[in-house]
Amino acid sequence: MDPLIQLQDSINRRTFLKGGAGLGLTALFTLMGGEAFGLDGFGNTRKRIGGLKDLPHFTPKAKRVIYLFQSGAPSQMDLFDPKPGLEKFRGENLPDSIRNGQRLTGMTSGQKTFPVAPTIFKFQKHGQSGIELTELMPHLAGIIDELCFIRSMNTEAINHDPAVTFFQTGSQLAGRPSIGSWMSYGLGTENRDLPAFVVMTSVGSGRKDDQPLYDRLWGSGFLPTQHQGVKFRNSGDPVLYLSDPDGMDRATRREMLDDLSGLNKLKLLSAKDPEISTRISQYELAFRMQTSVPELTDISKEPSSIKEMYGPNVNIPGSFAFNCLLARRLSERGVRFVQLFHMGWDHHDGLPKAIRLQCEDVDQPSAALITDLKQRGLLDETLVVWGGEFGRTVYSQGELTMQSYGRDHHPRCFTIWMAGAGVKKGIAYGKTDDYSYNIIENPVSVHDLHATILHILGIDHTRLTFRYQGRDFRLTDVFGDLVDAVMA
């Protein structure tokens, strides 16, 4: 048990809080707690709270993860995978030898032709690494030497929901624990006053009616429910029911929770249901979050230079820029896994206009997050991942013109990038064919990516398991190979 909790629990709470000095002493504990009980300036204990005793399996390179998930699937050949030779094939039908019998979605299966649609955007080499990047991401270009691109990602799923579910849980079928829940279960947290796993969502400018997101995507599956992601909302209270009802003060809330905890403990003794323990601990976490979350989400004291770095939308709650700044604030407070979902990348038509708007949403904040973490000394212990659930087709969905085109879903190849702890800087790994349609060098599966992320956090993916319905489950199922070439 945390020593501060143990000390406070040794005092009768009703007497403590009803007494004249009760709340004053609470404030004193808060002020002196950092020095007295080994906490840093944000209330993080220097020792891990929770997790499995045998983890990490080896020395980790990263302590935490920030995952910038681009929901809807960004087009790799318009952003990260340059194919200048495609221009000479503009409008020609994609050769059967390239498509090679790939299954199609219902959106293009009825097309009589599959006209090749080269990107209309320019690519340019940047940094000492000379990695080529789209003109749509000038801020990312400025930190290109911090990034590790994987251009040979591939997945099994061809439609959004199973594809996003696969990235989140290692299975296309709903019901398995999400990657953040596995992190919470295995490694615990470094901050007793915040969840180990936090989720935020934002709506992209490129397509405001994009594919929906479901809370089960950050669910704990068959793991104890205390490990599910806590979603921060875009308006009102950041977390539902965090504020006390009208007329209830802090002392009354504390007294109510003490009584409720006593009843739950009696029920636990008789029912032996571990979920009751979860309920007790989550009530206590929620009580502490009533103080920690408002402070966390108040960015008014951030220096103007920092907010300017994240861009003009940083002051809009629920924007990608605002969420990126919160991700940094969560990371420096020791939150284990932060995941941002940015919707709006599903561009079946009108891609050039829509993708410009999406890049305006994410380019500056993504680059600012890397820069901000680095200048605070946090990038050396934080892994940042950026990418969607699959790629887009080189052929146009619908009409192809010189100014506009659309692209269908493409699971065979796409690009993600990573930065920070445990990955090499300024490299582009993997290679696709001249059409950005098939992988010709170093394929990386979703299971491989998961195994590599876990390894960077000091976890052998084959040993992080949970027994359920008679078998041992893991995030990578029975698959997954480490991508050694991208790890520092």
Side-chain angles (χ1 to χ4, degrees), residues 280-475:
I280 295 170
S281 66
Q282 294 305 84
Y283 278 140
E284 291 298 319
L285 174 60
F287 182 75
R288 297 192 297 270
M289 285 169 60
Q290 288 184 306
T291 300
S292 63
V293 169
E295 182 277 330
L296 165 76
T297 56
D298 179 9
I299 66 169
S300 61
K301 295 181 181 178
E302 286 283 343
S304 58
S305 59
I306 295 297
K307 289 192 279 190
E308 288 170 5
M309 184 168 64
Y310 281 88
N313 293 331
V314 73
N315 290 309
I316 304 174
S319 68
F320 185 75
F322 181 85
N323 289 349
C324 278
L325 180 52
L326 283 194
R328 188 222 81 203
R329 291 169 66 85
L330 285 161
S331 185
E332 68 186 336
R333 287 160 174 77
V335 173
R336 183 71 66 190
F337 200 94
V338 181
Q339 189 153 28
L340 276 56
F341 287 86
H342 188 63
M343 298 175 279
W345 292 99
D346 192 23
H347 302 150
H348 291 275
D349 54 48
L351 182 145
K353 179 180 179 181
I355 204 170
R356 283 183 187 274
L357 295 172
Q358 287 295 114
C359 289
E360 289 175 6
D361 288 346
V362 305
D363 174 43
Q364 186 172 353
S366 298
L369 175 61
I370 302 300
T371 303
D372 200 2
L373 289 170
K374 184 177 181 179
Q375 65 188 17
R376 292 168 185 271
L378 291 169
L379 192 59
D380 290 339
E381 56 186 34
T382 307
L383 174 65
V384 181
V385 184
W386 191 105
E389 65 266 37
F390 42 60
R392 313 302 298 197
T393 57
V394 69
Y395 60 78
S396 179
Q397 178 177 336
E399 184 181 8
L400 168 65
T401 70
M402 291 298 295
Q403 292 77 36
S404 189
Y405 47 87
R407 301 194 191 278
D408 200 3
H409 309 165
H410 189 63
R412 281 193 182 182
C413 64
F414 56 103
T415 301
I416 69 161
W417 60 258
M418 299 188 290
V423 294
K424 293 180 179 177
K425 299 180 179 182
I427 70 165
Y429 180 76
K431 187 176 180 181
T432 60
D433 62 18
D434 292 340
Y435 290 86
S436 191
Y437 203 88
N438 299 289
I439 296 170
I440 58 176
E441 287 182 11
N442 303 318
V444 177
S445 72
V446 175
H447 294 304
D448 297 339
L449 178 66
H450 286 164
T452 302
I453 291 173
L454 292 178
H455 186 86
I456 290 170
L457 288 158
I459 300 171
D460 179 345
H461 71 104
T462 66
R463 295 166 59 193
L464 177 58
T465 62
F466 189 88
R467 180 159 285 270
Y468 176 68
Q469 292 186 339
R471 61 161 283 198
D472 290 333
F473 284 84
R474 68 187 207 217
L475 175 63

Side-chain angles (χ1 to χ4, degrees), residues 190-338:
E190 294 181 317
N191 190 324
R192 61 183 291 271
D193 296 331
L194 289 169
F197 176 21
V198 172
V199 174
M200 292 174 276
T201 65
S202 50
V203 178
S205 301
R207 185 178 172 184
K208 295 182 183 297
D209 61 342
D210 206 4
Q211 299 293 325
L213 296 170
Y214 304 98
D215 286 2
R216 62 171 171 75
L217 292 172
W218 43 89
S220 57
F222 43 70
L223 294 177
T225 53
Q226 71 187 77
H227 302 297
Q228 69 183 16
V230 174
K231 182 182 178 182
F232 280 18
R233 303 193 308 153
N234 296 332
S235 61
D237 283 345
V239 181
L240 280 172
Y241 312 119
L242 200 60
S243 297
D244 289 327
D246 292 340
M248 176 173 285
D249 58 27
R250 190 78 167 158
T252 303
R253 166 70 82 175
R254 179 68 267 168
E255 185 174 340
M256 183 200 75
L257 288 179
D258 288 340
D259 289 342
L260 186 60
S261 178
L263 292 172
N264 279 325
K265 287 175 181 177
L266 288 174
K267 185 66 175 178
L268 178 62
L269 287 173
S270 61
K272 310 296 184 183
D273 182 356
E275 282 301 298
I276 298 175
S277 296
T278 290
R279 189 180 307 155
I280 295 170
S281 66
Q282 294 305 84
Y283 278 140
E284 291 298 319
L285 174 60
F287 182 75
R288 297 192 297 270
M289 285 169 60
Q290 288 184 306
T291 300
S292 63
V293 169
E295 182 277 330
L296 165 76
T297 56
D298 179 9
I299 66 169
S300 61
K301 295 181 181 178
E302 286 283 343
S304 58
S305 59
I306 295 297
K307 289 192 279 190
E308 288 170 5
M309 184 168 64
Y310 281 88
N313 293 331
V314 73
N315 290 309
I316 304 174
S319 68
F320 185 75
F322 181 85
N323 289 349
C324 278
L325 180 52
L326 283 194
R328 188 222 81 203
R329 291 169 66 85
L330 285 161
S331 185
E332 68 186 336
R333 287 160 174 77
V335 173
R336 183 71 66 190
F337 200 94
V338 181

Side-chain angles (χ1 to χ4, degrees), residues 146-167:
E146 295 289 341
L147 307 183
C148 171
F149 291 89
I150 300 179
R151 291 175 172 166
S152 52
M153 285 298 305
N154 62 92
T155 183
E156 300 170 8
I158 198 171
N159 288 310
H160 292 288
D161 186 71
V164 177
T165 303
F166 191 27
F167 255 98

